[in-house]
Amino acid sequence: MPTPRRTQRILAAVLLLLCSLAALSVSAEAKVHHHTWDIAYHYKSLDCVEKLAVTINGESPGPTIHATQGDTIVVTVHNKLETENTGIHWHGIRQIGSPWADGTVGVTQCPILPGDTFTYRFVVDRPGTYFYHAHYGMQRVAGLDGMLVVSAPDGVAEPFTYDEERTILLMDWWHKSVYEQAVGLASDPLKFVGEPQSLLINGRGVFEPFHCSRAPQRQQRRCLQRPRSAGCAPPPLFTAVPGKTYRLRVGSLTSLSALNFAIEGHSMTPLHLLRRVLLGPGQGRPEPVPELLGRLPRRGRERNTTSAMAILSYAGNDPRAPPPTPRPEGPAWDDVTARVEQSRSLAVAHPDHVLPVPPRPDRALLLLNTQNRIGGHTKWAINGVSLAFPATPYLVSMKRGLQGAYDARPPPETYDFRSYDIERPPPANGTVASAVYRLALGSVVDLVLQNTVALNKKSETHPWHLHGHDFWVLAYGDGKFDPERDTARFNLRDPVMKNTVALHPKGWTAVRFVADNPGVWLFHCHIEAHVYMGMAVVFEEGVDKVGRLPKSIMGCGRSRTLP
Amino acid sequence: MPTPRRTQRILAAVLLLLCSLAALSVSAEAKVHHHTWDIAYHYKSLDCVEKLAVTINGESPGPTIHATQGDTIVVTVHNKLETENTGIHWHGIRQIGSPWADGTVGVTQCPILPGDTFTYRFVVDRPGTYFYHAHYGMQRVAGLDGMLVVSAPDGVAEPFTYDEERTILLMDWWHKSVYEQAVGLASDPLKFVGEPQSLLINGRGVFEPFHCSRAPQRQQRRCLQRPRSAGCAPPPLFTAVPGKTYRLRVGSLTSLSALNFAIEGHSMTPLHLLRRVLLGPGQGRPEPVPELLGRLPRRGRERNTTSAMAILSYAGNDPRAPPPTPRPEGPAWDDVTARVEQSRSLAVAHPDHVLPVPPRPDRALLLLNTQNRIGGHTKWAINGVSLAFPATPYLVSMKRGLQGAYDARPPPETYDFRSYDIERPPPANGTVASAVYRLALGSVVDLVLQNTVALNKKSETHPWHLHGHDFWVLAYGDGKFDPERDTARFNLRDPVMKNTVALHPKGWTAVRFVADNPGVWLFHCHIEAHVYMGMAVVFEEGVDKVGRLPKSIMGCGRSRTLP
């Protein structure tokens, strides 16, 4: 067993996602990667408790897709769910020229029906660590997700070096079905499913009653070797060779939880200092705490879910030996200051990789996030509007001019920021609508997200994810954003680019992007329950410039009536 | 409290379903009945245990539809299930001229997508007691069902008299979700959900641990008044006035169970002696045992589900008083002889209401029912073919000539009845296919269903239901049907007409129908698990005579590509 000191030296673990390098030229020999997936329910025991999961070819999470910058990914999806539809989003892929492949049901396509086949085809134009997951109702909760790794072309130097790489996918897991969760959220009064039963690393976890940490110290080895429940796999094992440097591509596809990720006795160098850090799924506010060993204490919510554990074992050691050190604690779950500090520390680009920010926006939206009671239901709303996905996907209805298929009246650009009290739940005056912000193609847009307290008077972190674009992170602030005062604080010198950003409790976050990707794009809180409850907005830009829509995205709502 | 003797005299309870009277002329003032239904999951406590149910306007079962012969029913269905589709079949309605309204997903329409609206419009051309229920995957198990009552026009005398009528809907109920049930059946090895937790009368039941029969005698009144679990309603109450005659329209929409229905201390006169008895849902072999009081012992499967109970209370009595007599036993669950005898006794039409049978068939299909292992899964097959519903509904693909949308090779007309041993499970040589029997329009077709033992070497009763038609019940037989010997036993003199018929253990059942209804029609075992596992065949007749198909039935599979 290497000493902690030695291992600190030999392992530079590398956090979260990659990074596009504008300097990289795309290889001339781009490949096409074909994948064929059967989407079906199967009984799985991901955390030693058997329950239904939505699987890809029988597995949850699904396989990691590997490709090289410039390649084309073709995924043929057979829906074998019997009565339930699906749709798969390729998280972080901008879908330039292929907006119909974004996989956002209700926005870019009709759902894929049971018995039907749908083919996603898109180019991965930048190296990086991406994800895929269901984007339909709350179906992601049921386990339909995975990773998508895009490498830099051979011979193209990256601004860091490593010997090998590993992918690490983090999930949270409930024993209640996604139906029970969703119907509970739509019920009056709202029924919250509660905290997850388990956290999973690469699809494996241990539900607390089966957890080896409950076993006496001398039995832990045996426990790790033979998980108590039949069908319960041992913890994921990562093997390493002393002296080598490992790049870890870590993705959090949790539906609710914010996690700390650490490797005991090792330090990690975040690879965020490059020009474009795609800081992950946003899901669960995934900013890493580069500290300790394979464990995932949760943060942002009071902790009552057992940490997840994986084993990092050095070649030659017994991979089932218990960890040599007690598992350390992460930051307190309610330590908001630490979280904001971390966000800020990761918001600055590497000096050699700054992508110039347009100096000023053509349009600025000030987006108040509130939890509202609307029509007897608890909803999330942006400037008082809770998004309801229309029966006809926006991309079809807007491109084809289907009147009345969505709410044509635009949503509010701002809220009454002078008098609004973010310390109080909102007045009961929200609406549910399928309204759209229409953006001028090529325009520069500022989005300032303003957090408030929810109906329970608490405020939580919301990870906001933008489809089809990256954005510059201009600032995080506490309290209420004041346009006159706070715009001057924007970092226009060296902001990092991301597609997901944290909106911290009772604070605000400002981002800027260029609306240069013809299509219709969702911008939403990546907590699965929150987007389900309407915490999202829709942007349209240059939909008239979108190419001919494939028939395969149609078949629902009014798209059925098109000639 | 009336004495049993008195009540026997005053209550002629009337069993199961109605009866078309060809002599009845349709009223000239036919009405159009509009209904608007939201289909959504809700948490319901139908048997005192809260679980998700698929509801109509928040209720399971749904509302009873009332109409008069010749009226038009229009049901506008809004699917609010979030990620799950639906489709509603109108059980017993022949859909003459409206085959696209039969509601059989994969046969007559694409599923109705979440967010979409579909309108069923059809004429009820005969008086009778009908049902409606989901016809998609195993969705019926989740509670989407109800009754449809068609009355004879005012002024038209019926061949029986009564003072008032009541509808009684019977269901079986599981605490596991329909997903768990269906995935279990598709798993290798098969996981059977087991017997239902409860039986329901008009959507109410009591799960055994909450059952008043467990309470001491002196506490039963209190128990009946206050069911233990919050949200658990008291048993359904039927009030009656001594001396009046009540017509009971009883429908079994059980998914698995065969039930006995009885009213303690009363006798019932089955109204099956009319020309056309639509002997109900077929579901659960619903032949009644006209005996005793409001209880539903199960039959055909070993009994481990508590009987359901409703209260029949005479005006002026305390409706919450415990029943005066102990609840009697029904026939033994495995008493096949009694079941067959009852089927035979109900297979003869009233002498005044015999609809002449065509003397001979143009075509005869001998349909062997087997349970097979196919491709690692347990399936039910007919002549070795297990039906898989195609992604494109037959009605669309056959009417519009979409090649390759279903298996064009016809399924076998018969099996090797000379050498086949029905006492043994079949050899492993079945296939899964979407094949169709194409019938000449107007031809007379005999169907002889032949039962065998399942893989567990037991043989059970299968209730076979034909869409789009009634059939004459020509004979029930034991053992193996021999065409030369047994055809002579067919009752061509006075057979009853039905749309559902029992196929008893290790026996056979012969029916005859006229293929005179242009469309594509399913014929299947009405046990929800069995049709899900492929125990069905499809008939096409005169599809070229079907009128212009509505766009609303399209949108799935290859129908999306139609001009």
Side-chain angles (χ1 to χ4, degrees):
Chain A
M1 177 62 61
T3 64
R5 203 173 150 203
R6 178 180 163 207
T7 59
Q8 276 179 15
R9 189 171 50 79
I10 60 179
L11 189 85
V14 152
L15 244 212
L16 284 164
L17 331 187
L18 243 229
C19 28
S20 77
L21 298 172
L24 294 183
S25 63
V26 175
S27 163
E29 322 123 84
K31 287 183 185 160
V32 180
H33 302 267
H34 290 273
H35 300 271
T36 303
W37 288 357
D38 283 355
I39 310 298
Y41 273 108
H42 282 286
Y43 278 103
K44 304 297 283 185
S45 297
L46 301 188
D47 68 346
C48 310
V49 175
E50 190 178 69
K51 66 156 284 196
L52 290 183
V54 174
T55 63
I56 296 173
N57 296 339
E59 297 304 326
S60 171
T64 299
I65 294 179
H66 292 276
T68 301
Q69 184 183 18
D71 290 352
T72 297
I73 309 282
V74 181
V75 182
T76 303
V77 174
H78 301 297
N79 180 355
K80 302 201 165 177
L81 291 172
E82 295 298 342
T83 60
E84 187 172 340
N85 307 310
T86 192
I88 301 177
H89 171 58
W90 314 92
H91 186 117
I93 306 296
R94 293 175 300 172
Q95 303 289 355
I96 295 170
S98 56
W100 45 74
D102 192 48
T104 312
V105 176
V107 178
T108 62
Q109 69 167 105
C110 289
I112 309 169
L113 275 67
D116 271 0
T117 295
F118 186 92
T119 299
Y120 291 98
R121 186 184 183 96
F122 53 88
V123 173
V124 288
D125 63 336
R126 299 176 306 173
T129 302
Y130 305 100
F131 321 105
Y132 60 80
H133 57 78
H135 213 303
Y136 187 47
M138 287 179 64
Q139 197 175 60
R140 180 161 68 96
V141 170
L144 178 46
D145 61 16
M147 296 186 79
L148 196 173
V149 171
V150 181
S151 304
D154 275 353
V156 173
E158 293 182 284
F160 44 83
T161 59
Y162 54 92
D163 299 302
E164 292 184 31
E165 67 177 46
R166 301 278 187 274
T167 57
I168 297 179
L169 174 58
L170 313 178
M171 293 163 66
D172 43 10
W173 198 241
W174 284 261
H175 294 161
K176 285 200 171 176
S177 71
V178 62
Y179 282 88
E180 291 168 288
Q181 295 190 41
V183 175
L185 293 173
S187 293
D188 180 17
L190 180 146
K191 281 176 202 274
F192 176 51
V193 66
E195 301 300 315
Q197 276 65 61
S198 300
L199 302 174
L200 309 180
I201 299 177
N202 286 359
R204 290 196 213 155
V206 180
F207 182 47
E208 173 71 30
F210 302 106
H211 211 283
C212 288
S213 64
R214 289 193 156 196
Q217 186 72 25
R218 63 193 165 76
Q219 290 180 16
Q220 289 210 356
R221 173 189 296 251
R222 189 159 164 275
C223 178
L224 287 168
Q225 283 165 342
R226 302 186 187 193
R228 288 183 204 178
S229 171
C232 184
L237 176 66
F238 297 90
T239 55
V241 174
K244 283 192 175 180
T245 301
Y246 291 83
R247 173 183 187 166
L248 304 184
R249 296 177 181 266
V250 183
S252 172
L253 277 162
T254 54
S255 293
L256 175 70
S257 311
L259 304 177
N260 293 312
F261 179 82
I263 304 178
E264 275 185 4
H266 296 72
S267 63
M268 296 184 277
T269 305
L271 295 188
H272 78 285
L273 302 175
L274 300 162
R275 190 173 55 73
R276 290 194 178 196
V277 173
L278 303 175
L279 193 63
Q283 179 50 37
R285 298 136 284 185
E287 299 86 346
V289 177
E291 291 166 274
L292 314 162
L293 165 138
R295 68 189 303 265
L296 302 168
R298 299 173 71 245
R299 56 194 286 190
R301 285 178 174 270
E302 200 154 7
R303 195 156 79 201
N304 59 7
T305 305
T306 312
S307 294
M309 184 178 71
I311 302 291
L312 172 67
S313 178
Y314 282 87
N317 287 348
D318 175 1
R320 293 296 165 223
T325 52
R327 293 192 287 161
E329 285 298 310
W333 70 272
D334 55 354
D335 185 350
V336 174
T337 306
R339 248 181 285 165
V340 176
E341 285 308 313
Q342 184 176 273
S343 286
R344 287 181 176 148
S345 76
L346 294 168
V348 179
H350 188 285
D352 297 344
H353 298 277
V354 175
L355 189 74
V357 196
R360 63 193 62 83
D362 298 304
R363 186 172 174 186
L365 303 176
L366 181 48
L367 304 173
L368 179 73
N369 292 223
T370 54
Q371 195 181 44
N372 296 58
R373 290 285 298 171
I374 306 176
H377 300 279
T378 303
K379 293 282 186 184
W380 288 95
I382 306 305
N383 291 350
V385 179
S386 181
L387 185 75
F389 291 98
T392 314
Y394 291 101
L395 185 60
V396 178
S397 53
M398 301 188 87
K399 169 78 179 163
R400 299 293 294 270
L402 292 173
Q403 300 295 319
Y406 58 92
D407 293 310
R409 191 175 153 197
E413 302 268 307
T414 187
Y415 75 106
D416 178 12
F417 59 86
R418 289 188 209 286
S419 63
Y420 194 91
D421 183 355
I422 65 167
E423 301 276 353
R424 289 190 189 178
N429 59 0
T431 59
V432 173
S434 55
V436 183
Y437 292 99
R438 306 197 73 149
L439 308 177
L441 186 63
S443 63
V444 176
V445 180
D446 275 8
L447 306 172
V448 181
L449 295 157
Q450 175 66 58
N451 212 340
T452 59
V453 297
L455 293 172
N456 64 2
K457 300 185 180 167
K458 292 178 182 169
S459 187
E460 58 183 312
T461 299
H462 301 284
W464 276 80
H465 170 58
L466 179 60
H467 291 216
H469 309 79
D470 294 336
F471 45 65
W472 290 272
V473 180
L474 302 186
Y476 296 96
D478 300 323
K480 207 159 62 169
F481 176 79
D482 179 329
E484 290 173 23
R485 178 193 64 206
D486 294 321
T487 305
R489 293 173 47 196
F490 288 177
N491 171 17
L492 300 179
R493 197 174 57 87
D494 57 357
V496 74
M497 291 203 85
K498 309 169 83 172
N499 60 46
T500 309
V501 71
L503 173 61
H504 289 296
K506 300 183 189 174
W508 56 266
T509 299
V511 303
R512 180 169 296 176
F513 74 103
V514 182
D516 56 0
N517 191 6
V520 187
W521 307 104
L522 196 65
F523 180 46
H524 64 100
C525 176
H526 212 268
I527 292 177
E528 194 73 342
H530 290 186
V531 62
Y532 174 78
M533 295 163 80
M535 198 170 201
V537 297
V538 175
F539 297 127
E540 176 274 332
E541 65 210 45
V543 75
D544 53 309
K545 299 285 191 299
V546 169
R548 186 185 164 83
L549 300 179
K551 268 272 190 185
S552 59
I553 67 169
M554 306 187 191
C556 60
R558 295 186 47 199
S559 74
R560 194 187 286 111
T561 64
L562 283 169
Chain B
M1 176 63 60
T3 64
R5 203 172 148 203
R6 175 179 165 207
T7 59
Q8 274 176 17
R9 187 171 51 79
I10 58 176
L11 187 84
V14 151
L15 244 215
L16 283 164
L17 331 183
L18 244 228
C19 25
S20 77
L21 297 172
L24 294 182
S25 62
V26 174
S27 163
E29 322 125 82
K31 286 183 185 158
V32 180
H33 302 268
H34 289 273
H35 300 271
T36 302
W37 288 357
D38 283 354
I39 310 297
Y41 273 108
H42 282 286
Y43 278 102
K44 303 298 283 185
S45 298
L46 302 188
D47 69 347
C48 310
V49 176
E50 189 177 70
K51 64 156 285 197
L52 289 183
V54 174
T55 63
I56 296 173
N57 296 340
E59 297 303 325
S60 171
T64 299
I65 295 179
H66 292 276
T68 301
Q69 185 183 17
D71 289 353
T72 296
I73 309 281
V74 181
V75 181
T76 302
V77 175
H78 301 297
N79 180 355
K80 302 202 167 177
L81 291 172
E82 295 296 342
T83 59
E84 187 174 339
N85 307 309
T86 192
I88 301 178
H89 171 57
W90 313 91
H91 186 118
I93 307 297
R94 292 175 300 171
Q95 302 290 355
I96 294 170
S98 55
W100 45 75
D102 192 48
T104 313
V105 176
V107 179
T108 63
Q109 69 168 104
C110 289
I112 309 169
L113 275 68
D116 270 0
T117 295
F118 186 93
T119 300
Y120 291 98
R121 185 184 184 95
F122 53 88
V123 173
V124 289
D125 63 336
R126 299 175 306 173
T129 302
Y130 305 99
F131 320 106
Y132 59 81
H133 58 77
H135 213 305
Y136 186 47
M138 288 180 64
Q139 198 176 59
R140 179 160 69 95
V141 169
L144 177 46
D145 60 17
M147 296 187 79
L148 196 174
V149 171
V150 182
S151 303
D154 275 354
V156 173
E158 292 182 285
F160 44 83
T161 59
Y162 55 90
D163 299 302
E164 293 185 28
E165 67 177 45
R166 301 278 187 273
T167 56
I168 297 179
L169 174 59
L170 313 179
M171 293 162 66
D172 43 9
W173 197 243
W174 284 261
H175 294 162
K176 284 199 171 176
S177 72
V178 62
Y179 281 88
E180 291 168 289
Q181 294 190 42
V183 175
L185 294 173
S187 292
D188 180 18
L190 180 147
K191 281 175 201 273
F192 177 53
V193 67
E195 302 298 315
Q197 276 65 62
S198 300
L199 301 173
L200 309 179
I201 299 177
N202 286 0
R204 290 197 212 156
V206 181
F207 182 47
E208 173 72 30
F210 302 107
H211 211 283
C212 288
S213 64
R214 288 195 156 196
Q217 186 71 26
R218 63 193 165 75
Q219 291 181 17
Q220 289 209 356
R221 173 189 296 251
R222 188 158 166 275
C223 179
L224 287 168
Q225 285 166 341
R226 302 187 187 192
R228 288 183 205 179
S229 170
C232 184
L237 176 67
F238 296 91
T239 55
V241 174
K244 284 194 174 178
T245 300
Y246 291 84
R247 173 183 187 165
L248 303 185
R249 297 178 181 265
V250 183
S252 172
L253 277 162
T254 54
S255 292
L256 176 69
S257 312
L259 303 176
N260 293 312
F261 178 82
I263 303 178
E264 275 185 4
H266 297 72
S267 63
M268 296 183 277
T269 304
L271 295 187
H272 78 288
L273 302 176
L274 300 161
R275 190 173 56 73
R276 289 195 179 196
V277 172
L278 301 176
L279 193 63
Q283 180 48 36
R285 297 133 286 184
E287 300 85 348
V289 178
E291 290 165 274
L292 315 160
L293 165 136
R295 67 191 302 265
L296 303 168
R298 299 173 70 246
R299 55 194 290 192
R301 285 180 175 269
E302 199 154 9
R303 195 156 78 202
N304 60 8
T305 305
T306 312
S307 294
M309 185 178 72
I311 303 290
L312 173 67
S313 178
Y314 282 87
N317 288 347
D318 176 0
R320 292 294 165 225
T325 52
R327 293 192 288 161
E329 285 298 310
W333 69 272
D334 55 354
D335 185 351
V336 174
T337 307
R339 250 183 282 164
V340 176
E341 286 308 314
Q342 185 176 271
S343 285
R344 287 183 175 145
S345 76
L346 294 169
V348 179
H350 188 285
D352 298 343
H353 298 278
V354 175
L355 188 76
V357 197
R360 63 193 62 82
D362 299 304
R363 186 172 175 187
L365 302 176
L366 181 49
L367 303 173
L368 179 73
N369 291 223
T370 55
Q371 195 180 45
N372 297 58
R373 290 284 298 171
I374 306 177
H377 300 280
T378 303
K379 293 282 186 182
W380 288 95
I382 306 304
N383 292 350
V385 179
S386 180
L387 185 75
F389 292 97
T392 315
Y394 292 102
L395 185 60
V396 177
S397 52
M398 301 188 86
K399 169 79 178 162
R400 300 293 293 271
L402 292 174
Q403 301 296 317
Y406 58 93
D407 294 309
R409 193 176 152 194
E413 301 268 305
T414 186
Y415 75 105
D416 177 12
F417 59 87
R418 289 189 208 287
S419 63
Y420 194 91
D421 184 354
I422 65 167
E423 300 278 352
R424 290 190 188 176
N429 58 0
T431 58
V432 173
S434 56
V436 182
Y437 293 99
R438 305 196 73 148
L439 308 176
L441 186 63
S443 62
V444 177
V445 180
D446 276 8
L447 306 172
V448 181
L449 294 156
Q450 176 65 58
N451 212 340
T452 58
V453 295
L455 293 172
N456 64 3
K457 298 185 181 167
K458 293 179 182 168
S459 187
E460 58 182 314
T461 299
H462 300 284
W464 275 80
H465 170 58
L466 179 59
H467 291 216
H469 310 79
D470 294 336
F471 46 64
W472 290 273
V473 180
L474 302 185
Y476 296 95
D478 299 323
K480 207 159 64 171
F481 177 78
D482 179 331
E484 290 174 20
R485 180 192 64 206
D486 294 323
T487 304
R489 294 172 49 193
F490 287 178
N491 171 19
L492 300 179
R493 198 174 57 85
D494 57 357
V496 76
M497 291 202 86
K498 309 169 84 172
N499 59 46
T500 309
V501 72
L503 173 61
H504 289 296
K506 299 183 190 175
W508 55 267
T509 298
V511 304
R512 180 169 295 174
F513 74 103
V514 183
D516 56 1
N517 191 7
V520 187
W521 308 105
L522 196 65
F523 180 46
H524 64 101
C525 176
H526 212 269
I527 292 177
E528 194 74 342
H530 291 187
V531 62
Y532 175 77
M533 295 161 79
M535 200 172 200
V537 298
V538 175
F539 298 127
E540 175 275 332
E541 65 211 46
V543 75
D544 53 310
K545 299 285 191 297
V546 169
R548 186 185 163 82
L549 300 179
K551 268 272 191 185
S552 59
I553 67 169
M554 306 186 191
C556 60
R558 295 186 47 200
S559 73
R560 194 186 286 113
T561 64
L562 282 168

